């Protein structure tokens, strides 16, 4: 059944279960009808036996016993098994049950096949009177069996017909119910063929509509992610091209003019470009790992972490956060390195509960550019340019790592006259929900 469609499997399952239920119901109905008819037959035989017993007790026994039901046979036999009285449709010389069989038969009703009158199964009731005589009443079950055969035949025709009808109805209903799913599949196939975010049809059915909207949002996010990756690859290729070209140029010049390019000068030039290339590759690898694996966090002393990654920078205050210490250490180190690169004289790191700020006394960044500098490979003109030694990825890495932890990195004006970078992180006991209540040192909302 692995190759069968969901529609076919559901139809077969519904029809099969219905067929089984109908068969069980038919069997139960046949059994109930059979038992009820036999019970009614026993009641008739018991009434006849009571009537004969009353006649014997009142000493009014007629020569011919009355039998009201068609095919009913009633006899009164003595202790030796001889017929004393009988119904008009039986002989006085031929008992319903042979004396030997009658002697072994207890009082009550039973179904027998060894009676002298009738063919097939016969319902026989035996009742022993106080005089020692026994009343034997018999009624053939042919009528009941005929009715049961007719019932079985009708059910044998009705059950398959109902099962087939339900299967057809289920097939049609499922086809209409699954039509929105097929439309979603066709839409997804179109998106897969042509690429791009696409737009899956949103059906009227509430559940399927919610699924379609969720899938559309997922496709939009995937497309945006793919675009970011394409831009990232293009930018990375462009940024890597520059140091590689510089290395190649230096080597070609040294090979063409060995007498004019001293070894020490060549080594210095190559070392500068190699260091720059290594820093760029390291940053690219960090960006590639962000979000690739789950973050393992624990309660961290932010002041101790800041002192460990910024040894020659003033660190003030105390505070804790629930973070990955290695990743957040990279955030603080990037912000401190960025501040060092542009500071005139001072860089100060201040720690609060779930907050780290890095202040410098450099030229700062205009308010209009404070979001743009978080874009990858973005370098501003003036003092914060390519010659400052950065890769253009430090702030982008810091923000992405902080946001992966449920926090953020923002830029503002520093009291030292330069730039203030603020990192907000989850607070112990509150997690990411505590970010909105975290405050920067000095009471300033983070």
């Amino acid at each position: 059944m692995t190759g069968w469609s969901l529609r076919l499997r559901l139809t077969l399952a519904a029809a099969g279960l219905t067929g089984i239920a109908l068969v069980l119901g038919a069997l139960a109905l046949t059994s109930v009808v059979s038992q009820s008819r036999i019970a009614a037959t026993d009641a008739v035989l018991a009434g006849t036996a009571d009537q004969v017993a009353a006649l014997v007790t009142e000493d009014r026994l007629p020569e011919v016993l009355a039998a009201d039901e068609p095919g009913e046979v009633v006899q009164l036999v003595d202790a030796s098994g001889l017929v004393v009285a009988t119904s008009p449709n039986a002989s006085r010389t031929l008992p319903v049950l042979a004396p030997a069989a009658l002697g072994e038969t207890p009082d009550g009703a039973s179904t027998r096949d060894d009676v002298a009158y009738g063919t097939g199964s016969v319902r026989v009731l035996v009742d022993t009177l106080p005089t020692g005589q026994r009343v034997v009443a018999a009624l053939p079950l042919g009528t009941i069996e005929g009715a049961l055969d007719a019932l079985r035949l009708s059910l044998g025709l009705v059950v398959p017909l109902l099962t087939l009808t339900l299967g057809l109805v289920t097939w049609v209903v499922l086809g209409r119910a699954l039509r929105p799913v097929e439309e979603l599949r066709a839409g997804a196939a179109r998106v897969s063929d042509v690429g791009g975010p696409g737009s899956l049809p949103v059906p009227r059915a509430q559940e399927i509509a919610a699924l379609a909207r969720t899938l559309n949002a997922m496709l939009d996010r995937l497309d945006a992610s793919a675009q970011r990756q394409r831009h990232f690859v293009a930018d990375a290729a462009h940024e890597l091209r520059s140091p590689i070209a510089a290395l190649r140029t230096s080597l070609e010049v040294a090979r063409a003019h060995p007498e004019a390019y001293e070894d020490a000068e060549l080594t210095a030039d190559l070392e500068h470009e190699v260091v720059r290339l290594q820093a760029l590759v390291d940053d690219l690898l960090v960006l590639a790992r962000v979000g690739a694996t789950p973050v393992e966090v624990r309660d961290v002393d932010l002041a101790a972490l800041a002192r460990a990654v910024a040894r020659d920078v003033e660190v003030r205050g105390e505070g804790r956060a629930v973070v990955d210490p290695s990743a957040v250490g990279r955030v603080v180190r990037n912000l401190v390195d960025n501040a060092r690169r542009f500071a005139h004289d001072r860089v100060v790191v201040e720690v609060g509960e779930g907050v780290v700020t890095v202040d410098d006394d450099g030229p700062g960044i205009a308010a209009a550019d404070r979001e743009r500098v978080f874009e990858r490979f973005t370098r501003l003109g003036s003092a914060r340019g390519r010659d400052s030694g950065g890769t253009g990825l430090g702030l982008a890495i810091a923000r992405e790592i902080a946001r992966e932890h449920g926090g953020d990195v923002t830029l503002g004006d520093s009291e030292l006259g330069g730039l203030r970078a603020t990192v907000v992180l989850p607070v112990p006991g509150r997690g990411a929900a505590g970010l909105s209540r975290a405050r920067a040192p000095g009471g300033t909302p983070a």
Side-chain angles (χ1 to χ4, degrees):
M1 295 180 60
T2 54
W4 295 2
S5 67
L6 176 63
R7 182 183 182 186
L8 178 59
R9 283 183 286 173
L10 290 176
T11 300
L12 292 177
L17 292 175
T18 302
I20 293 173
L22 289 175
V23 168
L24 294 177
L27 293 176
L29 176 61
T30 303
S31 176
V32 169
V33 170
S34 175
Q35 292 177 5
S36 64
R37 296 297 295 271
I38 289 177
T41 300
D42 291 347
V44 170
L45 295 176
T48 300
D50 290 342
Q51 184 179 6
V52 173
L55 293 174
V56 172
T57 302
E58 297 172 0
D59 196 19
R60 294 188 301 109
L61 183 68
E63 293 184 0
V64 179
L65 300 176
D68 299 330
E69 296 294 327
E72 182 181 12
V73 176
V74 184
Q75 290 182 337
L76 178 66
V77 299
D78 59 17
S80 62
L82 298 177
V83 177
V84 176
T86 184
S87 58
N89 56 351
S91 170
R92 292 180 66 105
T93 60
L94 181 63
V96 173
L97 292 177
L102 179 61
E104 298 175 353
T105 302
D107 287 357
S110 61
T111 301
R112 306 180 68 103
D113 297 323
D114 57 349
V115 297
Y117 301 93
T119 59
S121 298
V122 177
R123 194 70 176 173
V124 178
L125 184 141
V126 178
D127 185 19
T128 302
L129 303 180
T131 61
Q133 297 172 316
R134 308 188 78 181
V135 179
V136 180
L139 190 62
L141 295 178
T143 304
I144 297 177
E145 291 179 347
L148 291 177
D149 289 341
L151 179 61
R152 293 189 187 101
L153 179 61
S154 62
L155 291 176
L157 295 176
V158 169
V159 168
L161 182 61
L162 287 177
T163 302
L164 179 60
T165 302
L166 180 66
L168 293 176
V169 172
T170 303
W171 177 265
V172 174
V173 171
L174 285 176
R176 294 185 178 182
L178 294 175
R179 188 176 302 164
V181 178
E182 174 60 23
E183 292 176 356
L184 285 179
R185 186 207 63 77
R190 289 193 298 270
V191 173
S192 177
D193 291 338
V194 303
S199 181
L200 300 180
V202 180
R204 295 180 180 179
Q206 183 176 359
E207 296 80 2
I208 306 298
L211 173 62
R213 287 191 290 268
T214 301
L215 291 176
N216 281 330
M218 180 189 70
L219 289 174
D220 292 341
R221 288 195 298 271
L222 290 175
D223 183 68
S225 176
Q227 289 182 1
R228 287 196 301 269
Q229 290 180 0
R230 288 193 292 270
H231 294 160
F232 174 67
V233 171
D235 292 340
H238 179 269
E239 294 296 323
L240 289 172
R241 188 180 296 115
S242 179
I244 292 175
L247 288 172
R248 181 174 180 178
T249 300
S250 297
L251 292 173
E252 289 177 350
V253 170
R255 183 184 299 111
H257 306 284
E259 72 285 350
Y261 214 147
E262 297 182 0
D263 292 344
E265 184 179 358
L266 174 62
T267 302
D269 289 345
L270 294 179
E271 182 181 9
H272 173 74
E273 295 300 335
V274 167
V275 170
R276 178 182 169 191
L277 181 62
Q278 182 180 6
L280 181 59
V281 170
D282 289 343
D283 286 346
L284 289 174
L285 291 176
V286 171
L287 278 175
R289 287 195 294 267
V290 173
T293 57
V295 178
E296 297 182 2
V297 299
R298 64 174 186 267
D299 192 344
V300 174
D301 184 344
L302 291 178
L305 180 65
R307 294 187 182 95
V309 300
R311 299 179 183 278
D312 56 345
V313 172
E314 180 183 358
V315 178
R316 301 186 302 204
E318 297 291 338
R320 308 189 72 83
V322 181
V323 295
D324 179 347
S326 176
V328 174
R330 180 64 181 257
V331 173
V332 177
R333 182 166 57 251
N334 283 8
L335 297 180
V336 170
D337 289 345
N338 187 72
R340 273 203 203 99
R341 194 174 298 121
F342 305 110
H344 297 310
D345 296 308
R346 294 186 64 193
V347 174
V348 177
V349 177
E350 193 162 358
V351 177
E353 194 71 8
V355 181
V356 178
T357 62
V358 180
D359 291 286
D360 66 63
D361 60 352
I365 297 177
D369 294 326
R370 288 174 185 168
E371 282 299 313
R372 191 163 64 90
V373 294
F374 286 106
E375 299 176 4
R376 297 174 179 183
F377 302 110
T378 297
R379 297 183 182 85
L380 301 179
S382 67
R384 297 180 182 265
R386 183 180 297 274
D387 294 338
S388 62
T391 63
L393 293 173
L395 289 177
I397 291 173
R399 171 167 278 186
E400 292 203 18
I401 292 177
R403 287 183 173 178
E404 186 183 24
H405 284 74
D408 202 356
V409 177
T410 57
L411 301 179
D413 294 323
S414 171
E415 296 177 357
L416 301 181
L419 184 69
R420 163 173 284 191
T422 302
V423 186
V424 183
L425 299 166
V427 177
R430 292 182 292 177
L435 290 173
S436 61
R437 298 186 295 274
R439 303 179 68 83
T444 303

